[in-house]
Amino acid sequence: MAGIIIKNATIINEGEMFTGSVRIENSLIKEIYRDALPPDADNCEIIDVTGKWLLPGVIDDQVHFRDPGLTHKGDIYTESRAAVAGGVTSFMDMPNTIPQTTTIPDLEAKLQRASEVSFANYSFFFGGTNDNMEAIRQLDRSRVPGLKLFLGSSTGNMLVDRKEALEKIFGESGMLIAIHAEKEEIIKRNIAYYTEKYGPDLDITFHSKIRSEEACYASSAEAVELAHQLNTRLHILHLSTARELSLLDNKLPVADKQITGEVCVHHLWFTDEDYPLYGNRIKWNPAIKALSDREALRRAVRDNTIDIVATDHAPHLLSEKEGSCLKATSGGPLIQHSLQAMLDMASQGIFTYEKVVEKMCHLPADLFRIDRRGYIRPGYYADLVLVDPTAPLTVQQDNILYKCGWSPFENYTFPHSIWKTFVNGQEVYSEGRITEDVRGMEVRYL
Protein backbone atom coordinates (compact mmCIF):
# COMPACT_ATOMS: atom_id res chain seq x y z
CA MET A 1 0.00 0.00 0.00
CA ALA A 2 1.20 3.52 -0.85
CA GLY A 3 -0.68 5.02 2.10
CA ILE A 4 -4.18 5.87 3.28
CA ILE A 5 -6.72 8.17 1.67
CA ILE A 6 -9.51 9.54 3.85
CA LYS A 7 -12.13 10.16 1.17
CA ASN A 8 -15.13 12.49 0.95
CA ALA A 9 -14.65 14.15 4.32
CA THR A 10 -16.13 17.47 5.37
CA ILE A 11 -12.81 19.11 6.21
CA ILE A 12 -12.78 21.91 8.81
CA ASN A 13 -9.39 23.59 8.61
CA GLU A 14 -7.88 27.09 8.41
CA GLY A 15 -11.21 28.89 8.47
CA GLU A 16 -12.89 26.74 5.82
CA MET A 17 -15.39 23.90 5.74
CA PHE A 18 -15.24 21.99 2.44
CA THR A 19 -15.57 18.49 1.02
CA GLY A 20 -12.28 16.83 0.19
CA SER A 21 -9.91 13.94 0.72
CA VAL A 22 -6.59 13.63 2.53
CA ARG A 23 -3.75 11.30 1.63
CA ILE A 24 -1.48 9.97 4.39
CA GLU A 25 1.92 8.39 3.73
CA ASN A 26 3.89 7.03 6.66
CA SER A 27 3.37 9.55 9.47
CA LEU A 28 2.68 12.62 7.32
CA ILE A 29 -0.07 14.25 5.30
CA LYS A 30 0.98 13.81 1.68
CA GLU A 31 -1.76 15.73 -0.14
CA ILE A 32 -5.19 17.30 0.18
CA TYR A 33 -7.65 16.85 -2.71
CA ARG A 34 -10.67 19.06 -3.30
CA ASP A 35 -11.70 17.27 -6.47
CA ALA A 36 -11.10 13.82 -7.98
CA LEU A 37 -8.59 11.45 -6.44
CA PRO A 38 -5.25 10.96 -8.24
CA PRO A 39 -4.74 8.08 -10.70
CA ASP A 40 -2.55 6.14 -8.27
CA ALA A 41 -5.20 6.16 -5.54
CA ASP A 42 -5.77 2.46 -6.19
CA ASN A 43 -2.49 1.77 -4.43
CA CYS A 44 -3.84 3.23 -1.20
CA GLU A 45 -6.19 2.04 1.48
CA ILE A 46 -9.28 4.20 0.94
CA ILE A 47 -11.56 5.05 3.86
CA ASP A 48 -14.80 6.62 2.63
CA VAL A 49 -16.02 8.95 5.37
CA THR A 50 -18.94 10.61 3.60
CA GLY A 51 -20.91 12.63 6.15
CA LYS A 52 -18.08 12.75 8.69
CA TRP A 53 -16.09 15.85 9.66
CA LEU A 54 -12.28 15.77 9.46
CA LEU A 55 -10.40 18.06 11.86
CA PRO A 56 -6.75 18.42 12.87
CA GLY A 57 -6.04 16.61 16.12
CA VAL A 58 -6.62 18.72 19.22
CA ILE A 59 -3.56 20.03 21.08
CA ASP A 60 -4.18 20.42 24.83
CA ASP A 61 -1.64 22.71 26.46
CA GLN A 62 -2.60 21.96 30.07
CA VAL A 63 -3.10 18.49 31.51
CA HIS A 64 -2.21 16.76 34.77
CA PHE A 65 -1.75 13.08 33.95
CA ARG A 66 -0.51 12.39 37.53
CA ASP A 67 2.50 10.35 36.47
CA PRO A 68 4.70 9.81 38.49
CA GLY A 69 3.69 9.65 42.11
CA LEU A 70 -0.07 10.23 41.94
CA THR A 71 -0.99 7.35 39.67
CA HIS A 72 -3.94 6.16 41.76
CA LYS A 73 -5.77 9.10 40.12
CA GLY A 74 -4.50 8.64 36.56
CA ASP A 75 -1.33 7.96 34.60
CA ILE A 76 0.09 8.65 31.17
CA TYR A 77 -1.23 5.34 29.79
CA THR A 78 -4.83 5.72 31.00
CA GLU A 79 -5.24 9.42 30.42
CA SER A 80 -3.67 9.40 26.95
CA ARG A 81 -6.15 6.64 26.04
CA ALA A 82 -8.95 8.95 27.12
CA ALA A 83 -7.30 11.79 25.19
CA VAL A 84 -7.26 10.03 21.82
CA ALA A 85 -10.83 8.80 22.39
CA GLY A 86 -11.70 12.49 22.60
CA GLY A 87 -9.76 13.54 19.52
CA VAL A 88 -6.82 15.00 21.47
CA THR A 89 -3.62 13.94 19.70
CA SER A 90 -0.98 16.01 21.56
CA PHE A 91 -0.72 17.13 25.18
CA MET A 92 1.50 19.23 27.43
CA ASP A 93 1.66 17.84 30.95
CA MET A 94 2.23 19.94 34.06
CA PRO A 95 5.10 19.57 36.54
CA ASN A 96 3.31 19.21 39.90
CA THR A 97 3.81 15.45 40.19
CA ILE A 98 5.82 13.47 42.76
CA PRO A 99 8.67 14.12 42.28
CA GLN A 100 8.00 17.49 40.72
CA THR A 101 9.38 18.11 37.24
CA THR A 102 11.89 20.70 38.41
CA THR A 103 15.12 18.87 37.58
CA ILE A 104 16.38 17.68 34.22
CA PRO A 105 16.60 13.99 35.29
CA ASP A 106 12.94 14.11 36.37
CA LEU A 107 11.97 15.66 33.03
CA GLU A 108 13.87 12.97 31.15
CA ALA A 109 12.19 10.26 33.21
CA LYS A 110 8.75 11.54 32.23
CA LEU A 111 9.74 11.73 28.56
CA GLN A 112 10.99 8.16 28.70
CA ARG A 113 7.84 6.93 30.40
CA ALA A 114 5.65 8.65 27.80
CA SER A 115 7.62 7.11 24.93
CA GLU A 116 6.73 3.70 26.33
CA VAL A 117 3.03 4.13 27.13
CA SER A 118 1.47 7.28 25.58
CA PHE A 119 -1.09 6.88 22.80
CA ALA A 120 -0.90 10.61 22.05
CA ASN A 121 2.02 12.88 21.25
CA TYR A 122 3.52 14.21 24.45
CA SER A 123 5.57 16.94 26.05
CA PHE A 124 6.12 18.29 29.55
CA PHE A 125 6.37 21.73 31.07
CA PHE A 126 9.34 22.32 33.33
CA GLY A 127 8.49 23.71 36.75
CA GLY A 128 10.05 26.89 38.03
CA THR A 129 10.81 27.20 41.73
CA ASN A 130 12.44 29.73 43.99
CA ASP A 131 15.80 28.01 43.55
CA ASN A 132 16.17 26.02 40.28
CA MET A 133 17.38 28.71 37.87
CA GLU A 134 20.53 26.74 37.04
CA ALA A 135 18.48 23.78 35.79
CA ILE A 136 16.33 26.16 33.71
CA ARG A 137 19.45 27.47 31.98
CA GLN A 138 20.42 23.93 30.95
CA LEU A 139 17.09 23.00 29.29
CA ASP A 140 16.91 21.94 25.66
CA ARG A 141 14.37 24.52 24.47
CA SER A 142 13.22 22.32 21.57
CA ARG A 143 11.91 19.71 24.03
CA VAL A 144 9.81 21.79 26.43
CA PRO A 145 6.84 24.08 25.68
CA GLY A 146 7.89 26.47 28.42
CA LEU A 147 8.17 27.00 32.15
CA LYS A 148 5.19 26.58 34.49
CA LEU A 149 5.01 28.86 37.50
CA PHE A 150 2.48 28.66 40.30
CA LEU A 151 1.77 32.15 41.61
CA GLY A 152 -0.90 30.84 43.96
CA SER A 153 -0.94 27.92 46.39
CA SER A 154 0.54 24.68 45.09
CA THR A 155 2.22 21.44 46.04
CA GLY A 156 5.57 21.37 47.83
CA ASN A 157 7.92 24.19 46.91
CA MET A 158 6.32 24.96 43.54
CA LEU A 159 4.85 28.22 44.79
CA VAL A 160 7.21 30.89 43.43
CA ASP A 161 6.77 33.67 45.96
CA ARG A 162 10.18 35.34 46.21
CA LYS A 163 10.47 38.54 44.21
CA GLU A 164 14.10 37.98 43.32
CA ALA A 165 13.37 34.45 42.06
CA LEU A 166 10.48 35.68 39.91
CA GLU A 167 12.56 38.47 38.41
CA LYS A 168 15.41 36.10 37.63
CA ILE A 169 13.12 33.56 35.93
CA PHE A 170 11.23 36.22 33.97
CA GLY A 171 14.37 38.08 33.02
CA GLU A 172 16.86 35.30 32.32
CA SER A 173 15.03 32.15 31.21
CA GLY A 174 14.43 33.28 27.63
CA MET A 175 11.40 30.97 27.49
CA LEU A 176 7.64 31.23 27.42
CA ILE A 177 6.35 31.31 30.99
CA ALA A 178 2.91 29.85 31.71
CA ILE A 179 1.33 30.84 35.01
CA HIS A 180 -1.34 29.73 37.40
CA ALA A 181 -2.28 33.16 38.73
CA GLU A 182 -4.14 33.44 42.02
CA LYS A 183 -2.80 35.69 44.77
CA GLU A 184 -2.14 33.65 47.89
CA GLU A 185 -2.49 36.54 50.35
CA ILE A 186 -5.99 37.35 49.09
CA ILE A 187 -7.06 33.70 49.21
CA LYS A 188 -5.85 33.39 52.82
CA ARG A 189 -7.61 36.62 53.76
CA ASN A 190 -10.86 35.38 52.23
CA ILE A 191 -10.60 32.02 54.02
CA ALA A 192 -10.13 33.81 57.34
CA TYR A 193 -13.09 36.09 56.70
CA TYR A 194 -15.58 33.40 55.64
CA THR A 195 -14.56 30.80 58.24
CA GLU A 196 -14.84 33.37 61.02
CA LYS A 197 -18.26 34.40 59.79
CA TYR A 198 -19.73 30.97 58.85
CA GLY A 199 -17.48 28.36 60.47
CA PRO A 200 -14.93 25.93 58.97
CA ASP A 201 -17.34 23.66 57.06
CA LEU A 202 -18.00 25.95 54.10
CA ASP A 203 -19.91 24.43 51.22
CA ILE A 204 -18.89 24.60 47.57
CA THR A 205 -20.73 27.88 46.95
CA PHE A 206 -18.00 29.67 48.93
CA HIS A 207 -15.25 28.47 46.61
CA SER A 208 -15.61 31.30 44.10
CA LYS A 209 -15.78 33.80 46.95
CA ILE A 210 -12.52 32.51 48.44
CA ARG A 211 -10.67 32.16 45.11
CA SER A 212 -12.20 35.39 44.00
CA GLU A 213 -12.01 37.66 40.98
CA GLU A 214 -9.71 39.90 43.02
CA ALA A 215 -7.31 37.03 43.75
CA CYS A 216 -7.09 36.14 40.05
CA TYR A 217 -6.77 39.66 38.70
CA ALA A 218 -4.19 40.85 41.23
CA SER A 219 -1.88 37.93 40.46
CA SER A 220 -2.33 38.10 36.68
CA ALA A 221 -1.82 41.88 36.63
CA GLU A 222 1.43 41.64 38.61
CA ALA A 223 2.73 38.95 36.25
CA VAL A 224 1.82 41.00 33.16
CA GLU A 225 3.56 44.08 34.58
CA LEU A 226 6.71 42.03 35.28
CA ALA A 227 6.58 40.48 31.79
CA HIS A 228 6.43 43.94 30.22
CA GLN A 229 9.30 45.18 32.37
CA LEU A 230 11.55 42.22 31.51
CA ASN A 231 10.33 41.54 27.93
CA THR A 232 9.07 38.04 28.75
CA ARG A 233 6.59 35.93 26.77
CA LEU A 234 3.80 35.27 29.28
CA HIS A 235 0.93 32.81 28.91
CA ILE A 236 -1.91 33.08 31.46
CA LEU A 237 -3.52 29.69 32.01
CA HIS A 238 -7.20 28.99 32.79
CA LEU A 239 -8.54 32.54 32.75
CA SER A 240 -11.76 32.65 34.75
CA THR A 241 -12.82 36.29 35.10
CA ALA A 242 -14.05 39.06 32.86
CA ARG A 243 -11.71 41.51 34.57
CA GLU A 244 -8.54 39.65 33.57
CA LEU A 245 -9.41 40.08 29.90
CA SER A 246 -8.36 43.73 30.16
CA LEU A 247 -4.77 42.45 30.45
CA LEU A 248 -4.93 40.93 26.95
CA ASP A 249 -5.41 42.33 23.48
CA ASN A 250 -6.91 41.03 20.24
CA LYS A 251 -5.09 43.25 17.78
CA LEU A 252 -2.12 41.00 16.97
CA PRO A 253 -1.80 37.46 15.59
CA VAL A 254 -0.92 35.02 18.34
CA ALA A 255 2.66 34.53 17.09
CA ASP A 256 3.31 38.24 17.69
CA LYS A 257 1.67 38.58 21.09
CA GLN A 258 3.82 38.98 24.19
CA ILE A 259 0.92 38.22 26.57
CA THR A 260 -1.37 35.34 25.64
CA GLY A 261 -4.29 33.68 27.37
CA GLU A 262 -5.99 30.31 27.67
CA VAL A 263 -9.49 29.45 28.80
CA CYS A 264 -10.59 25.98 29.85
CA VAL A 265 -13.73 24.20 28.72
CA HIS A 266 -15.25 24.17 32.20
CA HIS A 267 -15.06 27.96 32.49
CA LEU A 268 -16.89 28.21 29.16
CA TRP A 269 -19.55 25.65 30.16
CA PHE A 270 -20.40 26.02 33.86
CA THR A 271 -21.22 28.99 36.13
CA ASP A 272 -21.49 29.39 39.90
CA GLU A 273 -25.23 28.75 39.50
CA ASP A 274 -24.29 25.11 38.79
CA TYR A 275 -22.67 24.53 42.20
CA PRO A 276 -25.87 23.32 43.92
CA LEU A 277 -26.38 20.65 41.21
CA TYR A 278 -22.82 19.42 40.67
CA GLY A 279 -21.21 20.20 44.04
CA ASN A 280 -17.50 19.47 44.35
CA ARG A 281 -17.43 17.76 40.96
CA ILE A 282 -17.01 21.23 39.45
CA LYS A 283 -14.54 22.49 42.04
CA TRP A 284 -11.51 23.80 40.13
CA ASN A 285 -8.74 26.27 40.83
CA PRO A 286 -9.36 28.94 39.63
CA ALA A 287 -12.99 28.63 40.62
CA ILE A 288 -16.02 28.56 38.34
CA LYS A 289 -17.41 32.08 38.62
CA ALA A 290 -20.46 34.13 37.64
CA LEU A 291 -22.57 33.94 34.50
CA SER A 292 -21.24 37.37 33.51
CA ASP A 293 -17.68 35.99 33.64
CA ARG A 294 -18.61 33.00 31.49
CA GLU A 295 -20.27 35.21 28.89
CA ALA A 296 -17.25 37.52 28.79
CA LEU A 297 -14.92 34.54 28.33
CA ARG A 298 -17.06 33.26 25.46
CA ARG A 299 -16.94 36.67 23.79
CA ALA A 300 -13.18 36.75 24.26
CA VAL A 301 -12.84 33.43 22.42
CA ARG A 302 -14.93 34.76 19.56
CA ASP A 303 -13.01 38.05 19.21
CA ASN A 304 -9.53 36.50 19.73
CA THR A 305 -8.76 38.23 23.01
CA ILE A 306 -8.35 34.68 24.36
CA ASP A 307 -6.00 32.64 22.22
CA ILE A 308 -6.57 28.97 22.99
CA VAL A 309 -9.00 26.56 24.65
CA ALA A 310 -7.73 23.67 26.80
CA THR A 311 -8.86 21.48 29.69
CA ASP A 312 -6.65 21.59 32.80
CA HIS A 313 -7.51 17.86 32.90
CA ALA A 314 -6.85 16.94 36.55
CA PRO A 315 -8.35 13.63 37.65
CA HIS A 316 -9.10 12.82 41.29
CA LEU A 317 -10.94 9.92 42.85
CA LEU A 318 -14.49 10.84 43.78
CA SER A 319 -13.59 10.04 47.39
CA GLU A 320 -11.02 12.85 47.21
CA LYS A 321 -13.72 15.28 46.06
CA GLU A 322 -15.76 14.89 49.25
CA GLY A 323 -16.04 17.30 52.16
CA SER A 324 -16.21 21.06 52.55
CA CYS A 325 -14.90 23.44 49.94
CA LEU A 326 -11.72 23.80 51.99
CA LYS A 327 -11.12 20.03 52.12
CA ALA A 328 -12.30 18.62 48.78
CA THR A 329 -9.60 18.46 46.13
CA SER A 330 -9.75 20.86 43.18
CA GLY A 331 -9.76 19.64 39.60
CA GLY A 332 -11.57 17.17 37.42
CA PRO A 333 -11.27 14.97 34.32
CA LEU A 334 -12.19 16.60 31.00
CA ILE A 335 -9.90 15.56 28.15
CA GLN A 336 -12.12 12.80 26.71
CA HIS A 337 -15.02 15.20 26.17
CA SER A 338 -13.44 18.63 25.59
CA LEU A 339 -13.81 18.61 21.81
CA GLN A 340 -17.37 17.33 22.02
CA ALA A 341 -18.25 20.06 24.52
CA MET A 342 -16.83 22.75 22.25
CA LEU A 343 -18.61 21.34 19.19
CA ASP A 344 -21.80 21.25 21.24
CA MET A 345 -21.40 24.95 22.04
CA ALA A 346 -20.78 25.58 18.34
CA SER A 347 -24.00 23.75 17.47
CA GLN A 348 -25.78 26.19 19.82
CA GLY A 349 -24.31 29.15 17.92
CA ILE A 350 -21.95 30.20 20.72
CA PHE A 351 -18.93 29.62 18.47
CA THR A 352 -18.46 28.59 14.86
CA TYR A 353 -17.02 25.16 14.10
CA GLU A 354 -14.09 26.89 12.40
CA LYS A 355 -13.43 28.86 15.61
CA VAL A 356 -13.35 25.64 17.65
CA VAL A 357 -10.68 24.21 15.34
CA GLU A 358 -8.73 27.47 15.44
CA LYS A 359 -8.67 27.63 19.24
CA MET A 360 -8.07 23.93 19.97
CA CYS A 361 -5.78 22.98 17.07
CA HIS A 362 -4.26 25.82 15.05
CA LEU A 363 -3.45 28.44 17.67
CA PRO A 364 -1.92 26.09 20.28
CA ALA A 365 0.52 25.05 17.53
CA ASP A 366 1.23 28.68 16.65
CA LEU A 367 1.49 29.97 20.21
CA PHE A 368 3.97 27.30 21.31
CA ARG A 369 5.73 27.15 17.92
CA ILE A 370 5.15 23.42 17.54
CA ASP A 371 6.86 21.58 14.70
CA ARG A 372 4.34 20.54 11.98
CA ARG A 373 1.20 19.90 14.01
CA GLY A 374 -2.17 21.56 14.48
CA TYR A 375 -3.14 21.92 10.80
CA ILE A 376 -4.24 19.73 7.89
CA ARG A 377 -1.38 20.64 5.55
CA PRO A 378 0.93 18.66 3.25
CA GLY A 379 4.14 17.82 5.09
CA TYR A 380 2.53 18.03 8.53
CA TYR A 381 2.12 15.05 10.85
CA ALA A 382 -1.13 13.22 10.21
CA ASP A 383 -2.77 13.94 13.55
CA LEU A 384 -6.42 13.82 12.57
CA VAL A 385 -9.82 13.30 14.13
CA LEU A 386 -13.03 12.23 12.41
CA VAL A 387 -16.26 13.43 14.01
CA ASP A 388 -19.70 11.95 13.36
CA PRO A 389 -22.12 14.89 13.58
CA THR A 390 -25.16 12.61 13.40
CA ALA A 391 -24.30 10.19 16.23
CA PRO A 392 -25.14 11.56 19.70
CA LEU A 393 -23.15 10.20 22.63
CA THR A 394 -24.37 9.99 26.22
CA VAL A 395 -21.52 10.03 28.74
CA GLN A 396 -21.90 6.99 30.99
CA GLN A 397 -19.78 4.89 33.31
CA ASP A 398 -19.20 2.24 30.66
CA ASN A 399 -17.70 4.65 28.12
CA ILE A 400 -15.58 6.82 30.43
CA LEU A 401 -11.90 5.94 30.01
CA TYR A 402 -10.40 8.00 32.83
CA LYS A 403 -8.70 5.98 35.53
CA CYS A 404 -10.71 7.89 38.15
CA GLY A 405 -13.90 6.58 36.52
CA TRP A 406 -16.13 9.66 36.52
CA SER A 407 -16.88 12.81 34.54
CA PRO A 408 -18.69 16.07 35.31
CA PHE A 409 -20.56 15.42 32.05
CA GLU A 410 -22.01 12.08 33.20
CA ASN A 411 -25.51 11.45 31.79
CA TYR A 412 -25.19 14.40 29.42
CA THR A 413 -25.77 13.68 25.72
CA PHE A 414 -23.45 15.39 23.24
CA PRO A 415 -24.82 15.80 19.70
CA HIS A 416 -21.53 14.68 18.11
CA SER A 417 -19.28 11.68 18.70
CA ILE A 418 -15.61 11.06 17.97
CA TRP A 419 -15.51 8.39 15.27
CA LYS A 420 -11.81 7.86 14.58
CA THR A 421 -8.52 9.41 15.68
CA PHE A 422 -5.17 9.18 13.87
CA VAL A 423 -1.85 9.93 15.57
CA ASN A 424 1.09 10.35 13.18
CA GLY A 425 -0.88 8.56 10.47
CA GLN A 426 -1.82 5.57 12.63
CA GLU A 427 -5.42 4.84 13.53
CA VAL A 428 -5.34 4.83 17.32
CA TYR A 429 -9.08 5.05 18.07
CA SER A 430 -12.10 3.82 16.13
CA GLU A 431 -15.73 3.60 17.20
CA GLY A 432 -15.04 2.99 20.88
CA ARG A 433 -11.94 0.82 20.45
CA ILE A 434 -8.31 1.73 21.19
CA THR A 435 -5.46 0.28 19.10
CA GLU A 436 -3.22 -0.77 21.94
CA ASP A 437 0.10 -0.91 20.08
CA VAL A 438 0.07 2.68 18.75
CA ARG A 439 2.38 5.14 20.47
CA GLY A 440 2.70 8.89 20.08
CA MET A 441 5.84 10.91 19.43
CA GLU A 442 7.59 13.55 21.46
CA VAL A 443 6.37 17.02 20.46
CA ARG A 444 9.16 19.31 19.27
CA TYR A 445 9.30 23.10 19.40
CA LEU A 446 10.85 25.49 16.90
Side-chain angles (χ1 to χ4, degrees), residues 172-344:
E172 299 180 20
S173 68
M175 302 178 68
L176 178 144
I177 294 175
I179 59 166
H180 178 136
E182 293 182 285
K183 198 164 182 65
E184 183 73 359
E185 297 93 322
I186 295 174
I187 294 169
K188 288 179 177 178
R189 185 184 72 204
N190 290 340
I191 291 172
Y193 173 80
Y194 286 109
T195 53
E196 181 178 353
K197 189 171 183 179
Y198 298 105
D201 293 325
L202 302 173
D203 66 40
I204 185 60
T205 59
F206 286 91
H207 189 54
S208 59
K209 299 177 176 67
I210 290 169
R211 289 182 173 267
S212 61
E213 174 196 79
E214 182 189 9
C216 294
Y217 179 81
S219 184
S220 294
E222 287 178 4
V224 168
E225 182 180 6
L226 188 60
H228 283 310
Q229 288 174 1
L230 299 174
N231 196 30
T232 308
R233 287 182 67 211
L234 180 70
H235 184 52
I236 306 174
L237 300 168
H238 41 45
L239 289 157
S240 63
T241 72
R243 191 179 177 193
E244 288 171 285
L245 300 174
S246 65
L247 302 170
L248 307 173
D249 73 71
N250 60 3
K251 299 178 180 64
L252 294 172
V254 70
D256 296 330
K257 290 185 180 183
Q258 182 186 0
I259 312 298
T260 54
E262 169 215 274
V263 66
C264 291
V265 171
H266 47 280
H267 289 119
L268 295 172
W269 188 279
F270 298 105
T271 75
D272 59 5
E273 297 172 12
D274 294 313
Y275 282 134
L277 177 61
Y278 292 95
N280 291 334
R281 288 184 177 225
I282 60 168
K283 184 190 176 201
W284 279 277
N285 298 340
I288 301 293
K289 296 185 174 67
L291 175 63
S292 59
D293 291 300
R294 187 189 73 177
E295 296 311 295
L297 294 169
R298 288 176 170 183
R299 286 193 300 273
V301 169
R302 291 193 294 267
D303 72 13
N304 296 326
T305 301
I306 285 178
D307 302 289
I308 61 176
V309 174
T311 65
D312 193 16
H313 173 83
H316 296 285
L317 301 184
L318 275 177
S319 60
E320 297 170 322
K321 299 285 285 180
E322 295 175 354
S324 72
C325 86
L326 298 179
K327 293 180 180 177
T329 53
S330 294
L334 274 174
I335 201 167
Q336 188 179 344
H337 306 106
S338 59
L339 177 57
Q340 287 166 288
M342 289 298 294
L343 293 174
D344 190 341

Side-chain angles (χ1 to χ4, degrees), residues 37-57:
L37 298 180
D40 61 350
D42 290 343
N43 296 324
C44 296
E45 176 189 354
I46 296 179
I47 306 173
D48 193 325
V49 299
T50 300
K52 308 295 193 299
W53 296 351
L54 182 65
L55 285 57

Side-chain angles (χ1 to χ4, degrees), residues 5 13 35 59 86 126 134 151 156 256 268 293 304 312 360 374 412 434 441:
I5 292 178
N13 184 59
D35 300 309
I59 300 171
F126 195 76
E134 189 53 41
L151 306 184
D256 296 330
L268 295 172
D293 291 300
N304 296 326
D312 193 16
M360 300 188 82
Y412 184 81
I434 302 285
M441 296 170 57

Side-chain angles (χ1 to χ4, degrees), residues 64 66 70 95-100 102 128-129 150 152-160 316:
H64 300 265
R66 306 304 191 191
L70 298 164
N96 51 329
T97 49
I98 302 175
Q100 298 158 349
T102 55
T129 72
F150 288 87
S153 59
S154 183
T155 305
N157 73 334
M158 289 201 68
L159 174 61
V160 183
H316 296 285

